[in-house]
Every structure is written in structure tokens, then in C-alpha cells.
Amino acid sequence: MPRSCSWDIPYIGTSRDGRYYVEGPSRSSPRIAETDSAQAAVAMVIDRLPPGCGPAFIGNAAELAAYEKATDCG
């Protein structure tokens, strides 16, 4: 089953030199920052989570809709 992604939060990548960078929320967004620390990169993402952001959901759009309906989240 194909997976889809939402682009509503920044993401972390690694550079060839081993540093971490934070970009997003979309692939066309500018780089937010670079750091030597994975923990610092995670903190940057957490600081930029949208209000009411819950845990990640692994699944496609239909699975997410079914989950939201079953749990009264939607």
C-alpha cells in the first residue's frame, strides 16, 4: 500500500560532513539551521511543531481518515 506524507513540520537531514540540518516544513523551504548535535536538531524541530501537533501516524490518507473517524479525532 503506498504511503503519503504531510509536509507540516520541519525535518532533519545529515550533511556529508556528519553535521545535522533542519529544513522545512516543505522540501522547497529554506534551511533553518545546522548543528553538530542530533539533540539540538531534534530540539529545533520540537520548537517548530504546529499547535496541537500529535504523534506521527504511519499510513496512507485512507488509513488516517479511518483512524481519525474511529478515535473521534477528525
Side-chain angles (χ1 to χ4, degrees):
M1 189 175 287
R3 301 281 184 206
S4 63
C5 300
S6 65
W7 292 102
D8 55 352
I9 63 168
Y11 60 92
I12 300 168
T14 54
S15 301
R16 289 182 181 185
D17 62 3
R19 291 175 51 89
Y20 300 90
Y21 61 85
V22 178
E23 293 182 346
S26 71
R27 294 271 185 210
S28 61
S29 298
R31 186 161 292 181
I32 295 168
E34 293 186 24
T35 181
D36 292 324
S37 162
Q39 291 83 0
V42 170
M44 286 182 235
V45 170
I46 290 170
D47 288 345
R48 290 165 175 81
L49 291 175
C53 184
F57 180 87
I58 300 173
N60 62 33
E63 292 167 329
L64 176 58
Y67 171 79
E68 289 176 339
K69 184 176 181 181
T71 59
D72 200 28
C73 292

